[in-house]
Amino acid sequence: MTSSSPPGGSARRSRGRPAVPLDRILATALQLVDEEGAEALSMRTLAQRLESGTATLYRHFGNRATLITHVIDRVFGEVELDSSSLAEVSWDQACQTVARAMFDTLGRHRKIAPLLIEQTPTGPNAMVLRERCLAVLLDGGLPPDLAARAYATLSRYVLGFAIQLAGSGDDAERERVSTHFHDLPSDEFPATRAVADSLPVPLEDEFAFGLELIVDSLRRLRTP
Amino acid sequence: MTSSSPPGGSARRSRGRPAVPLDRILATALQLVDEEGAEALSMRTLAQRLESGTATLYRHFGNRATLITHVIDRVFGEVELDSSSLAEVSWDQACQTVARAMFDTLGRHRKIAPLLIEQTPTGPNAMVLRERCLAVLLDGGLPPDLAARAYATLSRYVLGFAIQLAGSGDDAERERVSTHFHDLPSDEFPATRAVADSLPVPLEDEFAFGLELIVDSLRRLRTP
DNA sequence: ACCTGAACACCGTTCAAGT
DNA sequence: ACCTGAACACCGTTCAAGT
């Protein structure tokens, strides 16, 4: 009650209170996840940040799951894919560009990936992204059934790695694991010890490495 | 109190109560996850199934996370990998066998995958599995740094797909998505409509498809 | 020693009551 | 119409008190 004084006599609350705009709810929710993690996105915490009450949120969303659905599609909306530049590059480069754009966006919102497990995204932005990805595969000369499988593999691949980004970026954990591997007895763990210097591999490198392997093989599957 | 009667007069509770064996805690915890999902594994629910109290669990595990760590390594212990049969097959077949064995086990415990995101598994069973996988890659002729990256890619690939198994297997959801794709306007979504009959692809097929693509490319990277 | 009940500070969700 | 406070049935975790 001490925080805000009425801004002049005229700008009074119309009736009840000004409605909380849906866009502000989603922006605040995404910000909350980015800053504090997916589990911090509780109805209470979100309502607090909006200086509102939990029941207000239930006016816009039936439950926490649908709120999350909307937050997710907001993230899909951030994927940057320039159509013209996609058309200029080779087929396999286009594949990698789409996958990387998706991965980069999810990398910018590392903490949101765990929320993506539960549902196949069917928000408007997700639909558009899938369409463009499938268009690249079909234009590249893959027959529809193979294009469908290639798309599914690629999107699962991206999502699978993106989800693991959540537990990544923790230097202390990386250090702990590396030390653990170096301290292993060489008689029981010769192979692990032999590659201990190269582990753990940063997840971003892993992603790029595997993506190249997949797209390379995919290229050979096109109609010859 | 009605469930068990003392087996003869001598086998009395030594002092206090008989300790709850750690193995029974873990078996019950895994069963709970398998039956009701990862989020059902609450300290309270687990204690209830054990006919014990939550504080008893904190005698064995400092917190819920370490309890989960132990449950996870129990699952890794179920991965079936016959050493001799691995030695008989070709290098790329061995790769696929290891990856599939891991995926199959996680498929048998679909609901545990979400718990795997947070931590790099370093339990005893996980360590042994990694060692054997790396041995295959090194024996196959990959130099250590490449073997490390190949291993990381493969294990991330398996885990990434396994995590997504959690939200899979729901026929209603598959039907919903399929219908949604078929009802799209063909002018806005020509590519999606063109492959709508082939979507969604079962996750197991996706996994096998992508795994083959990766191993195919990996085979070409060996010392020629 | 090991277990227990009760407590603390949280959740998602609902609903009668306010303006 | 839209928002609010309080309630209900849950969490993970801790701790004094029991046997």
Side-chain angles (χ1 to χ4, degrees), chain A residues 70-81:
Chain A
H70 284 253
V71 174
I72 285 173
D73 204 60
R74 188 169 240 269
V75 172
F76 275 87
E78 284 183 23
V79 178
E80 286 179 33
L81 264 189

Side-chain angles (χ1 to χ4, degrees), chain A residues 24 30 37 47 51 66 68 96 111 117 144 156 165 174 179:
Chain A
R24 192 164 90 85
L30 183 52
E51 294 181 299
T66 46
I68 287 172
Q96 293 212 23
K111 298 176 179 168
I117 303 181
R156 295 269 189 195
L165 276 172
R174 238 195 308 279
T179 309

Side-chain angles (χ1 to χ4, degrees), chain A residues 130-177:
Chain A
R130 177 169 22 237
E131 169 66 19
R132 299 180 66 182
C133 190
L134 281 166
V136 168
L137 293 165
L138 290 171
D139 287 353
L142 287 184
D145 63 322
L146 211 56
R149 301 216 295 169
Y151 162 74
T153 298
L154 282 170
S155 64
R156 295 269 189 195
Y157 180 81
V158 171
L159 184 52
F161 273 72
I163 288 170
Q164 298 180 67
L165 276 172
S168 173
D170 182 353
D171 280 347
E173 163 79 356
R174 238 195 308 279
E175 188 65 26
R176 183 186 73 77
V177 172

Side-chain angles (χ1 to χ4, degrees), chain A residues 96 100 157 161 203-213:
Chain A
Q96 293 212 23
R100 286 213 166 94
Y157 180 81
F161 273 72
L203 189 56
E204 286 82 355
D205 295 358
E206 246 3 277
F207 173 76
F209 184 66
L211 180 59
E212 226 161 318
L213 299 184

Side-chain angles (χ1 to χ4, degrees), chain A residues 114 117-122 124 127-128 130-132 134-135 138 144-157 159-161 163-168 173 176-177 180-181 184 188-195 198-199 201-203 205-207 209-214 216-218 220-221, chain B residues 114 117-122 124 127-128 130-132 134-135 138 144-157 159-161 163-168 173 176-177 180-181 184 188-195 198-199 201-203 205-207 209-214 216-218 220-221:
Chain A
I117 303 181
E118 334 251 289
Q119 41 194 312
T120 302
T122 50
M127 296 304 291
V128 169
R130 177 169 22 237
E131 169 66 19
R132 299 180 66 182
L134 281 166
L138 290 171
D145 63 322
L146 211 56
R149 301 216 295 169
Y151 162 74
T153 298
L154 282 170
S155 64
R156 295 269 189 195
Y157 180 81
L159 184 52
F161 273 72
I163 288 170
Q164 298 180 67
L165 276 172
S168 173
E173 163 79 356
R176 183 186 73 77
V177 172
H180 188 36
F181 286 168
L184 289 171
E188 269 184 277
F189 295 95
T192 307
R193 281 291 300 273
V195 305
S198 308
L199 285 178
V201 183
L203 189 56
D205 295 358
E206 246 3 277
F207 173 76
F209 184 66
L211 180 59
E212 226 161 318
L213 299 184
I214 289 178
D216 267 13
S217 283
L218 226 37
R220 292 196 192 77
L221 287 181
Chain B
I117 302 181
E118 336 249 290
Q119 40 194 313
T120 301
T122 50
M127 296 303 291
V128 169
R130 179 173 18 242
E131 170 66 18
R132 300 181 65 185
L134 282 164
L138 290 170
D145 63 323
L146 211 56
R149 302 215 295 166
Y151 163 74
T153 299
L154 281 171
S155 64
R156 295 270 190 193
Y157 180 81
L159 184 52
F161 273 73
I163 288 168
Q164 298 180 67
L165 276 172
S168 174
E173 162 80 356
R176 183 187 72 78
V177 172
H180 187 38
F181 286 168
L184 290 171
E188 268 184 278
F189 295 95
T192 307
R193 281 291 302 271
V195 305
S198 309
L199 286 179
V201 183
L203 190 55
D205 296 357
E206 246 4 276
F207 173 77
F209 184 65
L211 180 59
E212 225 161 319
L213 298 184
I214 289 177
D216 266 14
S217 283
L218 226 40
R220 292 195 193 81
L221 287 180

Side-chain angles (χ1 to χ4, degrees), chain B residues 86 89-100 133 136-137 154 211 215 218:
Chain B
L86 257 195
V89 298
S90 68
W91 177 86
D92 53 331
Q93 276 175 331
C95 268
Q96 293 210 22
T97 301
V98 178
R100 285 213 166 93
C133 190
V136 168
L137 293 166
L154 281 171
L211 180 59
V215 174
L218 226 40

